[in-house]
Amino acid sequence: MKNYTHINDIDNINSWIEEAREIKANPLANFELGKNKTLGLLFFNSSLRTRLSTQKAALNLGMNPIVMNVSGDAWGIEFGDGTVMNGNTAEHIKEAAAVVSQYCDVIAVRAFPTLTDKVKDESEQVLNSFAKFASVPIVNMESATSHPLQGLTDAITIAENTTKKKPKVVLSWAPHIKALPHAVGNSFVQAMQKMDVDFVIANPEGYNLNSQITKDTPIYHNQKEAFKNADFIYAKNWSSYEDYGKVLKTDLDWMITNKKIGNAKFMHCLPVRRNVVVADEVLDGENSLVIEQANNRTYAAQLVLKKILEDL
Amino acid sequence: MKNYTHINDIDNINSWIEEAREIKANPLANFELGKNKTLGLLFFNSSLRTRLSTQKAALNLGMNPIVMNVSGDAWGIEFGDGTVMNGNTAEHIKEAAAVVSQYCDVIAVRAFPTLTDKVKDESEQVLNSFAKFASVPIVNMESATSHPLQGLTDAITIAENTTKKKPKVVLSWAPHIKALPHAVGNSFVQAMQKMDVDFVIANPEGYNLNSQITKDTPIYHNQKEAFKNADFIYAKNWSSYEDYGKVLKTDLDWMITNKKIGNAKFMHCLPVRRNVVVADEVLDGENSLVIEQANNRTYAAQLVLKKILEDL
Amino acid sequence: MKNYTHINDIDNINSWIEEAREIKANPLANFELGKNKTLGLLFFNSSLRTRLSTQKAALNLGMNPIVMNVSGDAWGIEFGDGTVMNGNTAEHIKEAAAVVSQYCDVIAVRAFPTLTDKVKDESEQVLNSFAKFASVPIVNMESATSHPLQGLTDAITIAENTTKKKPKVVLSWAPHIKALPHAVGNSFVQAMQKMDVDFVIANPEGYNLNSQITKDTPIYHNQKEAFKNADFIYAKNWSSYEDYGKVLKTDLDWMITNKKIGNAKFMHCLPVRRNVVVADEVLDGENSLVIEQANNRTYAAQLVLKKILEDL
């Protein structure tokens, strides 16, 4: 594998899940694989889980992680083609990506969307520019429209925790006061579409995700109906896709509660706003998988880095 | 040992000092102990010595340190119980601490006091929340009311430099233009109370530390009287405890000078404002121990991490 | 070698270049040399290449790099002698340098000039204070007036790419909208003066570098004339030295184009503003050495660290 930028880079999700679980059972088994190899982690945005779990994954493979907060540590990056750079940006992505490739064997990048410019966000300018101009493999640590390390993590977590051959999985929109990206929702949808699960989405009207991603996955605007007989309920807020980046409702009737989930397992990628997205009782209850899900971030990242290192 | 959050976690200060001095004499003796173990250093506030010495201590034990500036690198953490998180905080400590515990084998935390809300500061919300919700050991890298890595360092430094069986040690308040925490003063008092020293405190009226900490340690409001026959003079500013967080005086009559200290050794935790807290002549003179004291930060941290690793 | 703070610390540039090329051919040959040694990288200013390449160089030598953004991670440093520190600075360089020396075996420092106070900039206060008060070797990662890791890199790159015994090398000023330092220009001049090259400088009137540095190197105010028969053209903007720190012209007539450079190889230290300093066609063309030049930053830093480690 060269880059891991999208759920579609997973050729066979079941074998990937199996391999991730082997890694989890024996995290240091490939400690020699990454020896003297450097992973550059470039953050254009904040990060806690991704920052720590991807470093941990690299360390488990014997790699040296080097972290850079691009905006704080360096300078503004220009992405335009042919731009006369007499404004605020001081370095072009062509040089930045090529130069970082001289020092790092793999580059991982986080760059969030604007949520104001749909065309720009869907062009995945930052991620795709790194993929284009870097001479080393690129890992997506959450881009404008996808978060494939999270999607892979979620698939692993469901496989680990299911008691059925074909569980029912529901992705439910949940309320939030700020406009959030679609990346986690998109990658979860795409991961579930690759798995042998009964998968539906629940969201209020006006909150449908991009139909080119949801495809023929059933979408319910009635949360209660969607949750019937669910085995896994994955909550996540996102802003409107149609009315791009807008927050159409913030009232709490879509908040996840114990009464709503019944015996289903609860999942969320974190960070999560308590008593807005989900009630304390759910997060503090025994059906919550969120901490184990966060733990699996390490093994998803480690699987991806392992596959990249094997093909270097 | 599980956590190291307070001087009271030291069961026998003399044996700890002895062991720290053995580590200092041979810092790489336990290089295998921390192999493939990760130390997460979480900074809610600035740090130079603690940041570098704790990383160095981890490296000497073969550990992998991962540093995070919580506010800059991630997002606002919520500590309230049952809060509806529709404000500025985006992640609850319950998740944050549990999640970081998935990636780190030990978590070290720095979080300063508000100095405006005494009840909140004394509740040690940040430190205690990590201790409560993390599933791995916690090390205090200076909390609202204590700095036990510094206190242990100071005990080691006095033991190394004393020529007497029972030296006289004075903790002296010194002037400063800003309101500073009580943490270093508190932990020094508590460390000295455990040692076989003749220990007194000198501070202006209105500057007594918390009496539940100073207990029966003599407090002088006359600096000259307190300094008589002193072997070690430890200077430190703190804001008023009674009139909580206030700066009652900034004039320089309590500044430490060569004339005042005579032949006593001079100590300070650093950073120190020259010619405000202490005159150049003292810091640049041969009785100053401040650089060796800073050096001992590594061995205090290394001893604490060693004890934690041994009990993992 | 103790410190590497200036091009003059290179005793024999030809043997240094030869050794750097050996390191490049076999970067891990000295992996045991830096084992359990710590390199502290202190940034008072932004950095991308220097940050990553110096860490990479340290890792190739088996060292542990520890990075600190001084302003963001710690506090204001005082450099004045005898200052009463009742202002914004909280720690004196005397303590800061001595303390960091307790935790690091080598200290690398980046501190840019003010470009408003020539006397202060030329005193190299930050760099020289570290060199004076640290007890371990100091590496200059770009100071107020020199960038000797870059100058060494540039010498290596010219040696690698020349097809002639004595190539013609031109350093050309190029336009920029902001006031930039003289450090890269100065160190390049000094490196070229040590090499067996035909070296000239081209810059507009009013933009002569410090004559104590340029010495008898020919300076052309006519770019076209200077570029005749050039084998290497090194572009770099700097602000006026005479009218200190001023931007006297920003129009693009000095911008580097394909027509101007002909068959000469193009060099720049990066970051570079496209279509201001240099046209896209040059950077994207086959005569550009800028990426290989950035790559050589690792080996220049590694050579310097190797020499320092060998003398520890």
Side-chain angles (χ1 to χ4, degrees):
Chain A
M1 187 168 59
K2 183 159 190 309
N3 298 333
Y4 183 70
T5 60
H6 194 274
I7 289 289
N8 285 342
D9 293 324
I10 303 174
D11 51 12
N12 180 328
I13 202 162
N14 292 322
S15 74
W16 280 48
I17 289 170
E18 199 179 328
E19 193 172 347
R21 294 176 72 176
E22 284 164 17
I23 290 170
K24 185 174 180 175
N26 195 359
L28 298 171
N30 297 285
F31 190 73
E32 293 300 313
L33 186 62
K35 216 177 158 183
N36 297 317
K37 297 276 186 273
T38 303
L39 173 68
L41 297 96
L42 307 187
F43 291 97
F44 288 83
N45 300 95
S46 293
S47 170
L48 186 149
R49 265 152 293 279
T50 300
R51 184 182 293 268
L52 297 181
S53 64
T54 312
Q55 284 187 75
K56 179 70 180 173
L59 292 168
N60 281 346
L61 290 162
M63 299 183 86
N64 297 310
I66 298 183
V67 178
M68 252 191 74
N69 292 331
V70 181
S71 4
D73 293 349
W75 20 69
I77 306 282
E78 174 64 40
F79 294 89
D81 205 22
T83 313
V84 176
M85 289 171 57
N86 56 6
N88 289 323
T89 55
E91 174 141 38
H92 199 280
I93 181 66
K94 287 188 187 180
E95 277 73 55
V99 162
V100 177
S101 303
Q102 307 303 311
Y103 314 130
C104 300
D105 299 283
V106 182
I107 301 174
V109 181
R110 163 163 286 196
F112 289 170
T114 64
L115 291 183
T116 54
D117 184 339
K118 193 184 209 167
V119 172
K120 190 178 175 187
D121 290 349
E122 300 209 325
S123 76
E124 288 284 11
Q125 196 178 45
V126 179
L127 181 72
N128 287 345
S129 297
F130 272 98
K132 186 171 177 185
F133 297 116
S135 57
V136 300
I138 297 297
V139 173
N140 180 352
M141 296 196 295
E142 188 171 346
S143 67
T145 68
S146 77
H147 194 353
L149 286 174
Q150 184 67 52
L152 174 56
T153 297
D154 299 335
I156 296 165
T157 308
I158 287 172
E160 273 186 341
N161 286 281
T162 189
T163 54
K164 292 183 186 168
K165 212 173 158 97
K166 186 172 179 166
K168 179 175 176 186
V169 178
V170 187
L171 170 63
S172 178
W173 182 93
H176 199 285
I177 58 160
K178 291 176 67 178
L180 294 193
H182 310 94
V184 169
N186 289 344
S187 289
F188 185 71
V189 169
Q190 290 169 320
M192 290 306 104
Q193 287 168 347
K194 284 177 171 282
M195 285 183 79
D196 190 24
V197 295
D198 173 15
F199 178 54
V200 304
I201 303 171
N203 60 250
E205 290 195 35
Y207 273 106
N208 283 10
L209 291 166
N210 183 349
S211 62
Q212 293 184 283
I213 289 170
T214 56
K215 290 177 179 160
D216 56 0
T217 296
I219 299 175
Y220 291 78
H221 296 317
N222 181 323
Q223 198 184 35
K224 193 175 176 181
E225 206 183 319
F227 282 14
K228 264 183 206 156
N229 301 315
D231 297 297
F232 295 89
I233 289 171
Y234 194 110
K236 180 76 188 83
N237 173 268
W238 55 83
S239 55
S240 178
Y241 178 76
E242 291 162 48
D243 193 359
Y244 192 68
K246 291 290 181 303
V247 175
L248 309 180
K249 63 184 268 128
T250 57
D251 57 303
L252 300 184
D253 54 324
W254 277 71
M255 183 172 83
I256 310 297
T257 61
N258 265 348
K259 191 179 166 197
K260 285 185 186 178
I261 66 164
N263 292 319
K265 298 289 184 190
F266 176 76
M267 297 177 71
H268 190 282
C269 61
L270 305 181
V272 68
R273 286 177 179 247
R274 285 178 165 248
N275 304 312
V276 176
V277 171
V278 53
D280 277 342
E281 60 184 16
V282 177
L283 284 167
D284 297 335
E286 58 186 15
N287 283 327
S288 172
L289 299 178
V290 299
I291 302 305
E292 194 54 32
Q293 206 179 337
N295 185 28
N296 285 335
R297 290 293 308 274
T298 300
Y299 308 108
Q302 195 170 334
L303 172 63
V304 163
L305 291 172
K306 175 172 178 281
K307 284 178 175 284
I308 287 173
L309 289 170
E310 284 168 347
D311 281 3
L312 272 191
Chain B
M1 187 169 59
K2 183 157 190 309
N3 299 334
Y4 183 71
T5 59
H6 194 274
I7 288 290
N8 285 342
D9 293 323
I10 303 174
D11 51 12
N12 180 329
I13 202 161
N14 292 322
S15 74
W16 280 48
I17 289 170
E18 199 180 327
E19 191 171 349
R21 294 177 72 175
E22 284 163 17
I23 290 171
K24 186 174 181 176
N26 195 359
L28 298 171
N30 297 286
F31 190 72
E32 294 300 312
L33 185 62
K35 215 178 159 184
N36 297 317
K37 297 276 186 271
T38 303
L39 173 67
L41 297 96
L42 306 186
F43 290 98
F44 288 83
N45 301 95
S46 293
S47 169
L48 188 150
R49 266 152 293 278
T50 299
R51 184 183 294 268
L52 297 180
S53 64
T54 312
Q55 284 186 75
K56 180 71 180 171
L59 292 168
N60 282 347
L61 289 162
M63 298 183 87
N64 297 309
I66 298 184
V67 178
M68 252 191 75
N69 292 330
V70 181
S71 3
D73 294 349
W75 22 68
I77 305 282
E78 174 65 40
F79 294 89
D81 205 22
T83 313
V84 175
M85 288 171 59
N86 56 5
N88 289 322
T89 54
E91 174 141 37
H92 199 281
I93 181 65
K94 287 189 187 179
E95 277 73 54
V99 162
V100 176
S101 303
Q102 306 303 310
Y103 314 131
C104 300
D105 299 282
V106 182
I107 301 173
V109 181
R110 163 165 286 196
F112 288 170
T114 63
L115 292 183
T116 54
D117 184 339
K118 194 185 210 168
V119 172
K120 189 178 175 186
D121 290 349
E122 300 209 324
S123 77
E124 289 284 12
Q125 196 179 43
V126 178
L127 181 72
N128 287 345
S129 298
F130 271 99
K132 185 171 178 186
F133 298 116
S135 56
V136 300
I138 297 297
V139 174
N140 180 352
M141 297 196 295
E142 187 172 346
S143 66
T145 68
S146 76
H147 194 354
L149 286 173
Q150 184 66 53
L152 174 56
T153 298
D154 299 335
I156 296 165
T157 308
I158 287 172
E160 272 186 340
N161 286 280
T162 188
T163 54
K164 292 183 184 165
K165 211 172 157 101
K166 186 172 178 168
K168 179 175 177 186
V169 178
V170 186
L171 169 64
S172 178
W173 181 94
H176 199 285
I177 59 161
K178 291 175 68 179
L180 295 193
H182 310 93
V184 169
N186 288 345
S187 290
F188 185 71
V189 169
Q190 291 169 321
M192 290 307 104
Q193 287 168 345
K194 286 176 171 282
M195 286 182 78
D196 190 23
V197 294
D198 173 15
F199 178 54
V200 306
I201 303 171
N203 60 251
E205 290 195 35
Y207 275 105
N208 282 10
L209 290 166
N210 182 349
S211 62
Q212 292 185 283
I213 289 171
T214 55
K215 291 177 178 160
D216 57 0
T217 296
I219 299 175
Y220 291 78
H221 298 315
N222 181 325
Q223 198 183 35
K224 193 174 175 182
E225 207 184 318
F227 282 14
K228 265 185 208 157
N229 301 314
D231 297 296
F232 294 90
I233 289 170
Y234 194 110
K236 181 75 189 82
N237 173 269
W238 54 84
S239 54
S240 177
Y241 177 76
E242 292 163 47
D243 193 359
Y244 193 67
K246 291 291 181 303
V247 175
L248 309 180
K249 64 185 269 129
T250 58
D251 57 303
L252 302 183
D253 55 324
W254 277 71
M255 184 172 82
I256 310 295
T257 61
N258 265 348
K259 192 178 165 200
K260 285 185 186 177
I261 65 165
N263 292 319
K265 298 289 183 189
F266 176 75
M267 298 177 71
H268 190 283
C269 62
L270 306 180
V272 69
R273 288 177 178 246
R274 284 177 166 248
N275 304 311
V276 176
V277 172
V278 53
D280 278 342
E281 61 183 16
V282 178
L283 283 167
D284 298 333
E286 57 186 14
N287 283 326
S288 171
L289 299 178
V290 298
I291 303 303
E292 194 55 31
Q293 205 180 337
N295 185 28
N296 285 336
R297 290 293 309 273
T298 300
Y299 309 108
Q302 194 169 334
L303 172 62
V304 163
L305 291 172
K306 176 173 179 280
K307 285 181 175 284
I308 287 173
L309 288 169
E310 285 168 347
D311 281 2
L312 273 191
Chain C
M1 188 167 60
K2 183 158 189 309
N3 298 335
Y4 184 71
T5 59
H6 194 273
I7 289 289
N8 285 342
D9 293 323
I10 303 175
D11 51 12
N12 180 328
I13 201 162
N14 292 321
S15 74
W16 280 48
I17 289 170
E18 199 179 327
E19 192 172 348
R21 293 177 72 175
E22 284 163 17
I23 289 170
K24 186 175 180 175
N26 195 0
L28 298 172
N30 297 286
F31 190 73
E32 293 300 313
L33 186 61
K35 216 177 157 183
N36 297 319
K37 298 275 187 271
T38 303
L39 172 67
L41 296 97
L42 306 187
F43 291 98
F44 288 83
N45 301 95
S46 293
S47 170
L48 187 149
R49 266 152 294 277
T50 300
R51 184 183 294 268
L52 297 181
S53 64
T54 312
Q55 284 186 74
K56 179 71 180 173
L59 292 168
N60 282 345
L61 289 162
M63 297 183 87
N64 297 309
I66 298 184
V67 178
M68 252 192 74
N69 293 330
V70 181
S71 3
D73 294 349
W75 23 69
I77 306 282
E78 175 63 41
F79 293 89
D81 205 24
T83 313
V84 176
M85 289 172 58
N86 56 6
N88 289 321
T89 54
E91 174 140 38
H92 199 280
I93 181 66
K94 287 189 188 180
E95 278 72 54
V99 162
V100 176
S101 303
Q102 307 302 310
Y103 314 131
C104 299
D105 299 282
V106 182
I107 301 174
V109 180
R110 162 163 286 195
F112 289 170
T114 64
L115 292 183
T116 53
D117 184 339
K118 195 184 209 167
V119 173
K120 189 179 176 187
D121 290 348
E122 300 209 325
S123 77
E124 288 285 13
Q125 197 178 44
V126 179
L127 182 72
N128 287 345
S129 297
F130 272 98
K132 186 170 176 186
F133 298 116
S135 56
V136 300
I138 297 298
V139 174
N140 180 351
M141 297 197 294
E142 188 173 344
S143 68
T145 69
S146 76
H147 193 354
L149 285 174
Q150 184 67 52
L152 174 56
T153 297
D154 299 335
I156 296 165
T157 307
I158 286 172
E160 272 187 340
N161 286 281
T162 189
T163 54
K164 293 182 184 167
K165 213 174 155 98
K166 187 172 177 167
K168 179 175 175 185
V169 178
V170 187
L171 169 64
S172 178
W173 181 94
H176 199 286
I177 59 163
K178 291 175 67 178
L180 295 193
H182 310 94
V184 169
N186 288 345
S187 289
F188 185 71
V189 168
Q190 291 168 320
M192 290 307 103
Q193 287 168 345
K194 285 176 171 281
M195 285 182 79
D196 190 23
V197 295
D198 175 14
F199 178 54
V200 305
I201 303 172
N203 59 248
E205 290 194 36
Y207 274 106
N208 283 10
L209 291 166
N210 183 350
S211 62
Q212 292 185 284
I213 289 170
T214 56
K215 291 177 178 159
D216 57 1
T217 296
I219 298 175
Y220 292 79
H221 297 315
N222 180 324
Q223 197 183 36
K224 194 175 175 181
E225 207 183 319
F227 282 14
K228 264 184 207 157
N229 301 316
D231 297 298
F232 294 89
I233 289 171
Y234 194 111
K236 181 75 189 82
N237 172 270
W238 55 84
S239 55
S240 178
Y241 178 75
E242 292 162 48
D243 193 357
Y244 192 67
K246 291 290 181 304
V247 175
L248 308 179
K249 62 183 270 130
T250 57
D251 56 304
L252 301 183
D253 56 324
W254 277 71
M255 183 172 83
I256 310 296
T257 61
N258 265 348
K259 193 179 164 198
K260 286 184 185 177
I261 66 164
N263 292 318
K265 298 289 183 189
F266 176 75
M267 297 177 70
H268 189 283
C269 62
L270 306 181
V272 68
R273 287 178 179 246
R274 286 178 165 249
N275 304 310
V276 176
V277 171
V278 53
D280 277 342
E281 60 184 16
V282 178
L283 284 168
D284 297 334
E286 57 187 14
N287 283 327
S288 171
L289 299 177
V290 299
I291 303 304
E292 194 55 32
Q293 205 179 336
N295 186 27
N296 285 335
R297 291 292 310 272
T298 301
Y299 309 108
Q302 195 170 334
L303 172 62
V304 164
L305 290 172
K306 176 173 179 280
K307 284 179 176 285
I308 287 173
L309 288 169
E310 284 167 348
D311 282 3
L312 272 190

